[in-house]
Amino acid sequence: MIAEVWAGLLLGIAGVVATNVDNFLVLVGVFGTRSGSRTAVRLGFCVGALILLVISLIFSFIGELIPIRFLGYLGVIPISMGVLELSRQDSSTARAQSRSGPASQGFTKSVVTVSILTLAGGTDTFAVIAPLLAESQSIAVAAICSGYVIAVIGIAALLGQAVSHPALVNPLRRYGPKIGPVVMILIGIYILLNTATDSFPGP
């Protein structure tokens, strides 16, 4: 049980981090030249990411209606997304770097803008987290959600610093687009293999 909790925490953290590299770069590109944006960016990202978690949880409840022998096939979703990201990583990175900031706006509008950007770029996050939750038992679901929240808080804190110091994201800009899709593929393989073992009765 302890191993399952730790695995859930690590999978939740890895799933969020791996699928939010582009979001991170876009938000820094949009808000990096603006002063006073740190709190709005942090809060907006958290709101958007938590909405994605709620949507993923709703999907996982629907997943309970799917026979367990079919749940493993949900792993094909993050694998496909990872392969797709690898195939288009050059163009997506270029798009992230080419985004220009919006006109100056108030705090509330900035939070809403960041939330919408996070949701718009959250398709891959949903593609990883939702199948992972759907094929997991209750204790693992709680652990995955905890890891998800921990990762979101960590990314939000880093976003606040990166908005003030955009140069801090240069290593992420260089290596993130290559590592993220690989992690997505590995999580998809984990879903496929783990669900296959769940379908067999225990001793």
Side-chain angles (χ1 to χ4, degrees):
M1 181 178 293
I2 295 178
E4 189 175 4
V5 170
W6 278 108
L9 280 170
L10 292 176
L11 286 168
I13 292 172
V16 175
V17 172
T19 58
N20 275 279
V21 174
D22 283 351
N23 273 349
F24 189 98
L25 295 176
V26 167
L27 291 176
V28 172
V30 170
F31 291 92
T33 58
R34 297 174 55 197
S35 61
S37 300
R38 294 172 60 177
T39 303
V41 171
R42 285 171 170 168
L43 182 58
F45 175 78
C46 287
V47 170
L50 291 177
I51 291 174
L52 280 172
L53 178 58
V54 171
I55 295 173
S56 298
L57 282 168
I58 292 172
F59 178 88
S60 73
F61 292 141
I62 298 174
E64 292 180 358
L65 303 176
I66 304 174
I68 191 169
R69 65 181 179 275
F70 296 127
L71 281 176
Y73 294 110
L74 294 174
V76 173
I77 299 175
I79 291 174
S80 301
M81 292 294 295
V83 172
L84 181 62
E85 287 295 325
L86 283 174
S87 68
R88 68 180 187 184
Q89 63 181 10
D90 291 337
S91 59
S92 65
T93 302
R95 285 197 305 271
Q97 293 178 6
S98 65
R99 298 288 185 95
S100 58
S104 180
Q105 52 187 293
F107 177 84
T108 301
K109 288 186 178 180
S110 294
V111 171
V112 172
T113 299
V114 175
S115 299
I116 292 173
L117 287 173
T118 302
L119 286 169
T123 304
D124 48 357
T125 302
F126 174 81
V128 170
I129 298 299
L132 196 56
L133 292 172
E135 69 90 36
S136 299
Q137 302 299 318
S138 297
I139 188 169
V141 168
I144 292 167
C145 290
S146 298
Y148 185 105
V149 172
I150 290 171
V152 167
I153 293 173
I155 293 173
L158 187 58
L159 268 172
Q161 295 301 316
V163 166
S164 299
H165 308 284
L168 293 177
V169 303
N170 285 338
L172 183 63
R173 182 176 289 117
R174 178 177 299 177
Y175 302 111
K178 298 178 176 63
I179 296 174
V182 173
V183 175
M184 293 171 64
I185 293 171
L186 292 176
I187 291 177
I189 293 173
Y190 168 85
I191 294 172
L192 287 171
L193 298 178
N194 185 58
T195 307
T197 59
D198 286 346
S199 63
F200 294 100

